[in-house]
């Protein structure tokens, strides 16, 4: 098998550091360049705490994809940059693996058309943790039997987006099978705006942000005399790396855009 040549954006972030380690430790992965915000580093090996990789560091993403031959563009930056990078990768014939969130349905549809026209694989993964994918799948399964559900997502207080991509994805998956219903008392009033959380098709999503947390979610279903809770916790960024590895491998075999690893994992 040929090496999979990877460009990473955001190598010094929490996720980027783990991903650089993963690439370094995987025999058939090769880091060919990194994209950083700071003009301070020449090679990845110059970055504190990162493996001794000779990949050059760019601050201009377009220059990077023009100059470096690569197969996969791995983005672990922020929602705004992730959107720019996925378009850039597809434009220059690279397969994007995007870990950032915040894509609308229309944006995903448009990007899928671009990927298919270019015959390129692309993956947008709101959550790379295999346990979180199973949590979403189990929640969808339960939604066949319970129409009343609330989602509580809990993350570290450095997170930029709310609700989380995982919570939105979970709500979308539940929506596919749940009988539409406005939940709670028909006359309920919020004494403080936002008290009932965000509303997706009558389901409520609550976002908690606290130091000490990493990424956690509970999906709570209520029925006559019973409650079912489906729960997942990521305690460190290492929990996401098996999904990052799988995504890099799978994107090489795809010719379309896949949104969510539940579409890849049986
Ligand atoms: N899909 C998943 O499973 C998953 C898991 C964890 C985090 N995330 C998402 O991944 C992203 C990164 O998370 P994190 O915890 O590592 O965040 P972080 O803030 O620790 O790291 C982000 C890094 O991106 C860099 N960056 C920002 N803009 C950039 C640009 N224009 N070019 C190059 N680099 C740029 C920052 O300098 C920083 O080093 C976030 O959007 C987060 O929501 C996804
Ligand atoms: O740390 C984050 O930010 C995470 N974001 C994902 C989301 O928005 O669902 C999940 C994993 C951690």
């Amino acid at each position: 098998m040929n090496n999979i040549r990877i460009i990473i954006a955001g190598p010094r972030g929490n996720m980027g550091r783990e991903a650089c380690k993963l690439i370094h430790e995987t025999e058939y992965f090769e880091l060919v360049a990194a994209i950083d915000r700071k003009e301070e580093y020449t090679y990845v090996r110059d970055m504190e705490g990162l493996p001794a990789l000779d990949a050059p560091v760019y601050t201009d993403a377009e220059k990077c994809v023009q100059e470096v031959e690569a197969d996969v563009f791995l983005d672990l930056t922020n929602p705004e940059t992730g959107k720019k990078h996925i378009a850039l990768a597809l434009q220059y014939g690279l397969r994007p693996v995007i870990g950032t969130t915040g894509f609308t349905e229309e944006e995903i549809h448009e990007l899928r058309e671009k990927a298919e026209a270019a015959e390129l694989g692309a993956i947008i993964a709101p959550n790379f943790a295999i346990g979180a994918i199973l949590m979403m799948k189990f929640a969808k399964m339960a939604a066949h039997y319970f129409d009343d559900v609330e989602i509580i997502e809990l993350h570290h207080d450095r997170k930029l987006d709310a609700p989380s991509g995982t919570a939105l994805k979970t709500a979308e998956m539940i929506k596919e099978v749940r009988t539409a219903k406005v939940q709670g008392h028909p006359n309920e009033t919020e004494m403080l705006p936002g008290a009932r959380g965000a509303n997706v098709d009558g389901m409520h999503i609550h976002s908690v942000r606290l130091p000490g947390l990493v990424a956690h979610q509970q999906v709570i279903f209520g029925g006559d005399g019973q409650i079912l809770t489906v729960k997942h916790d990521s305690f460190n960024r290492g929990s996401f790396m098996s999904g990052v590895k799988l995504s890099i491998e799978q994107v090489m075999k795809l010719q379309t855009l896949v949104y969510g690893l539940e579409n890849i994992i049986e």
Side-chain angles (χ1 to χ4, degrees):
M1 186 179 24
N2 287 338
N3 280 354
I4 302 178
R5 298 164 303 175
I6 302 161
I7 292 176
I8 188 172
R12 287 183 303 113
N14 291 311
M15 286 291 282
R17 283 175 186 280
E18 286 293 331
C20 285
K21 230 186 327 158
L22 167 77
I23 296 168
H24 187 52
E25 287 165 4
T26 306
E27 211 187 325
Y28 49 92
F29 285 178
E30 184 185 349
L31 190 71
V32 288
I35 301 166
D36 194 77
R37 264 198 308 205
K38 271 198 192 165
E39 284 201 19
E40 200 178 304
Y41 309 98
T42 312
Y43 297 103
V44 169
R45 61 166 188 261
D46 305 332
M47 295 173 161
E48 204 187 320
L50 286 194
L53 290 158
D54 289 334
V57 178
Y58 288 77
T59 46
D60 181 336
E62 185 149 13
K63 187 164 181 248
C64 176
V65 294
Q66 280 170 343
E67 289 186 0
V68 179
E69 277 198 33
D71 302 300
V72 173
F73 189 119
L74 174 61
D75 184 276
L76 300 166
T77 58
N78 56 50
E80 195 193 336
T81 311
K83 282 188 190 183
K84 287 187 195 146
H85 283 169
I86 189 171
L88 191 70
L90 289 173
Q91 186 190 339
Y92 283 91
L94 274 78
R95 297 160 185 83
V97 171
I98 308 294
T100 57
T101 49
F103 292 87
T104 64
E105 270 179 47
E106 296 82 69
E107 284 167 339
I108 289 169
H109 179 73
E110 248 176 58
L111 288 163
R112 185 172 290 123
E113 284 190 338
K114 276 192 191 160
E116 288 177 1
E119 296 184 1
L120 286 170
I123 294 180
I124 301 174
N127 200 316
F128 286 117
I130 305 300
I133 305 303
L134 292 175
M135 173 265 295
M136 290 187 258
K137 280 184 179 253
F138 296 155
K140 181 174 178 179
M141 214 187 270
H144 283 282
Y145 304 96
F146 293 89
D147 300 333
D148 290 84
V149 52
E150 306 236 347
I151 299 171
I152 306 178
E153 58 95 343
L154 309 90
H155 281 82
H156 57 91
D157 64 348
R158 303 290 88 202
K159 186 163 177 60
L160 293 174
D161 51 321
S164 70
T166 307
L168 286 170
K169 184 69 171 150
T170 309
E172 273 171 39
M173 287 170 68
I174 290 175
K175 224 169 109 177
E176 285 169 25
V177 296
R178 170 181 173 266
T179 310
K181 177 172 184 184
V182 177
Q183 293 178 194
H185 195 285
N187 299 331
E188 76 180 12
T189 336
E190 285 187 327
M191 305 307 283
L192 285 176
R196 291 284 289 121
N199 185 328
V200 179
D201 208 34
M203 283 174 262
H204 293 253
I205 303 180
H206 311 270
S207 298
V208 178
R209 298 289 176 264
L210 285 173
L213 293 169
V214 176
H216 317 259
Q217 183 167 291
Q218 296 175 26
V219 187
I220 309 176
F221 295 91
D224 186 13
Q226 57 180 323
I227 287 288
L228 170 68
T229 305
V230 188
K231 181 171 180 280
H232 177 262
D233 298 279
S234 270
F235 296 110
N236 62 31
R237 269 77 182 189
S239 66
F240 302 112
M241 291 304 128
S242 52
V244 172
K245 184 164 185 256
L246 180 76
S247 301
I248 292 171
E249 290 163 356
Q250 291 298 312
V251 81
M252 295 297 293
K253 302 177 190 160
L254 294 168
Q255 295 202 325
T256 185
L257 181 148
V258 167
Y259 171 49
L261 295 193
E262 71 282 0
N263 296 302
I264 290 177
I265 291 166
E266 281 301 307

